Amino acid sequence: MPEPILTPGDLLARFQALDGFLLQHQALWRPRPFHHLQLPWEVELPELASWLRSRSLEQAEASDNNPFALAAPSPFPDLAHQAQTLSLLGEMPGMHSPPRTHALSVDVPGRKLAQIQAFANHLQFRKRPQHWLDWCSGKGHLGRWLTKADQRLTCLEHDPALIESGSAMSKRLGLDATHVQQDVLADDCNARLQKEHTPVALHACGDLHVRLLQLASRNGCTQLAVAPCCYNRIATLRYQPLSAAAQASALQLSPDDLGLPLSETVTAGARVRRQRNQSMAWRLAFDLLQRQLRGIDEYLPTPSLPSDWFSKPFASFCHDLAELRDVPTPGEQDWPALEAQGWQRLADVRNLELLRNLFRRPLELWLLLDRALYLQEQGYNVKLGTFCDYQLSPRNLLLLAERA
Ligand SMILES: C[S@@+](CC[C@H](N)C(=O)[O-])C[C@H]1O[C@@H](n2cnc3c(N)ncnc32)[C@H](O)[C@@H]1O
């Protein structure tokens, strides 16, 4: 039986079920294994902890994108079942779009083009759009794909280089399109949104898509579609809930918590994964060293580093990072043994994360439902469903809103 899309009557009930689940199990998903030598929950669940710690890095990677299937000790299977049930969301009904000219796909990277096509094929508005508004449009590939001969297009973007090249593309295709340089977070953006616009946002980050929901509802737009991304890109230290239900919830979210739904690796290739593993293993090894050198048994964040840092010998990496973070200079160390400990910690971290990862989708859906409930409060009829395969983009949730 196909999974249901979430329709207006289901939104609040699902939100509350997710809210209860996330609140009840905060101790399992909040602490990041990367930051702890031992996680607080390991004392309560020693059998599960030692089972996860006995597995290899390869085993962790094989389970990463489907932690639900893992035959781990209790309470893992039960939590996996609940997380999966609460995250069930069907595909938004699609429509058969007429083929588009090949010229629209020139210069669009393959994966992005497939995401745009999928997004476009799942937009069903009762009223035919007259004027599309591509929000944080980049070069405006999505807007151009959607805009037919009798429709208009406005693209809002703040990067001048993207505007220039997007503008040239629209002109070449003879579209009635305007590419406007606009910081969508600035006050003057309010005037850019008019009620005849149908705003669309594909993968606009945290504050950027929230701003769209606020302005579109305030300025009387009757329909819009958003596929959110990067929930953790917010300017505040705590997540500011939008809907009454989320405002009433006891769940307080930090930007770190908001990063949980974004931690999948489905789209990374083997080389990128290898580089990321090395970076993490070396940082975890450095973490052991810095605890010893500072005499403080606490995680010390390290900044993102240029890739040439990871072609240095491991000992130089540690020396340079110690200097960068004002940690006392490491003296003579058993560098091979320390590096090996880093790799062992990486295997532990990645396996322990499998428990935390059960909560990725529930938290993402909680955030999406907060947006949906907010729009419902603003008088919209809201539908939620997926618009593409998880493998094409893990950010595959679509929110469609319409009001009379
Ligand atoms: C993740 S990209 C998505 C682009 C496009 N929608 C797509 O799917 O290819 C986010 C876009 O938002 C733009 N952006 C970031 N901050 C912005 C702001 N404050 N105002 C306007 N655009 C912004 C970036 O330059 C970038 O083009």
Side-chain angles (χ1 to χ4, degrees):
M1 207 175 73
E3 293 159 13
I5 63 160
L6 280 178
T7 49
D10 312 321
L11 301 178
L12 186 60
R14 181 71 76 89
F15 178 84
Q16 278 165 344
L18 283 161
D19 194 52
F21 181 65
L22 290 167
L23 278 167
Q24 187 186 349
H25 300 295
Q26 293 181 71
L28 304 182
W29 59 264
R30 277 201 205 270
R32 295 178 63 177
F34 202 81
H35 295 177
H36 296 265
L37 295 182
Q38 210 201 7
L39 290 157
W41 63 257
E42 291 188 68
V43 184
E44 320 290 327
L45 304 171
E47 199 194 336
L48 175 58
S50 69
W51 187 88
L52 290 168
R53 282 182 180 275
S54 70
R55 290 165 34 101
S56 67
L57 179 58
E58 293 69 31
Q59 285 174 308
E61 287 187 328
S63 317
D64 190 39
N65 291 318
N66 190 9
F68 303 104
L70 202 62
S74 167
F76 194 99
D78 187 37
L79 291 169
H81 178 69
Q82 286 184 63
Q84 221 167 5
T85 309
L86 287 169
S87 313
L88 273 183
L89 189 60
E91 183 182 339
M92 195 70 90
M95 53 175 187
H96 215 70
S97 310
R100 305 289 282 138
T101 160
H102 172 70
L104 283 166
S105 47
V106 174
D107 284 340
V108 190
R111 185 180 284 275
K112 176 54 68 184
L113 180 63
Q115 291 169 5
I116 287 173
Q117 288 168 334
F119 186 96
N121 288 342
H122 290 87
L123 295 188
Q124 259 177 352
F125 293 119
R126 266 173 304 166
K127 219 177 79 201
R128 189 169 188 273
Q130 314 273 299
H131 190 154
W132 295 100
L133 184 90
D134 190 346
W135 187 259
C136 298
S137 59
K139 295 181 184 174
H141 296 310
L142 171 68
R144 267 190 300 280
W145 189 270
L146 292 170
T147 306
K148 309 284 160 49
D150 59 337
Q151 296 173 320
R152 296 175 61 196
L153 168 66
T154 297
C155 294
L156 298 185
E157 167 60 50
H158 76 159
D159 180 331
L162 298 177
I163 294 163
E164 193 185 324
S165 89
S167 232
M169 289 180 189
S170 296
K171 207 162 170 189
R172 261 202 311 276
L173 288 162
L175 286 179
D176 185 357
T178 322
H179 292 250
V180 181
Q181 184 178 13
Q182 177 67 51
D183 173 357
V184 300
L185 299 176
D187 288 344
D188 62 357
C189 187
N190 191 38
R192 299 282 183 206
L193 262 152
Q194 283 137 30
K195 63 176 188 304
E196 62 274 18
H197 287 150
T198 296
V200 285
L202 173 57
H203 296 160
C205 305
D207 281 343
L208 304 177
H209 70 256
V210 168
R211 174 90 168 141
L212 170 60
L213 307 185
Q214 291 165 333
L215 291 185
S217 48
R218 199 190 298 159
N219 292 3
C221 298
T222 52
Q223 49 195 23
L224 60 103
V226 176
C229 186
C230 302
Y231 300 93
N232 56 346
R233 300 251 179 109
I234 57 169
T236 47
L237 289 174
R238 297 248 150 247
Y239 177 68
Q240 308 292 311
L242 297 163
S243 64
Q247 281 164 4
S249 161
L251 201 62
Q252 299 274 321
L253 299 167
S254 68
D256 230 23
D257 297 330
L258 296 170
L260 174 60
L262 316 169
S263 58
E264 316 86 335
T265 52
V266 278
T267 54
R271 194 175 58 87
V272 173
R273 272 213 306 275
R274 229 178 6 255
Q275 284 169 344
R276 211 199 42 214
N277 282 346
Q278 189 195 340
S279 152
M280 289 172 75
W282 281 21
R283 285 168 200 270
L284 287 165
F286 177 79
D287 181 57
L288 295 173
L289 182 63
Q290 68 78 16
R291 285 172 195 252
Q292 174 208 320
L293 296 171
R294 291 196 305 148
I296 303 174
D297 194 14
E298 252 175 34
Y299 175 75
L300 179 73
T302 50
S304 64
L305 298 166
S307 59
D308 60 356
W309 275 63
F310 299 95
S311 4
K312 307 177 186 195
F314 175 63
S316 315
F317 168 85
C318 290
H319 273 280
D320 294 350
L321 195 48
E323 195 181 327
L324 192 70
R325 289 301 340 247
D326 284 329
V327 168
T329 312
E332 211 28 59
Q333 303 285 336
D334 182 347
W335 296 110
L338 183 61
E339 188 183 353
Q341 278 178 290
W343 283 98
Q344 179 55 51
R345 269 194 84 192
L346 179 62
D348 292 345
V349 162
R350 298 294 307 279
N351 279 294
L352 291 165
E353 274 174 353
L354 294 172
L355 178 62
R356 189 169 186 256
N357 291 351
L358 294 178
F359 297 88
R360 279 193 299 224
R361 201 62 160 181
L363 181 57
E364 179 169 14
L365 199 50
W366 186 99
L367 291 163
L368 190 73
L369 281 162
D370 180 28
R371 285 142 178 77
L373 289 166
Y374 167 78
L375 288 175
Q376 205 171 53
E377 287 164 16
Q378 309 304 313
Y380 287 91
N381 230 304
V382 183
K383 284 184 218 142
L384 301 180
T386 60
F387 72 94
C388 72
D389 219 51
Y390 191 76
Q391 297 300 321
L392 179 58
S393 168
R395 299 285 72 70
N396 64 350
L397 303 181
L398 176 63
L399 180 159
L400 278 185
E402 293 174 284
R403 70 178 166 196

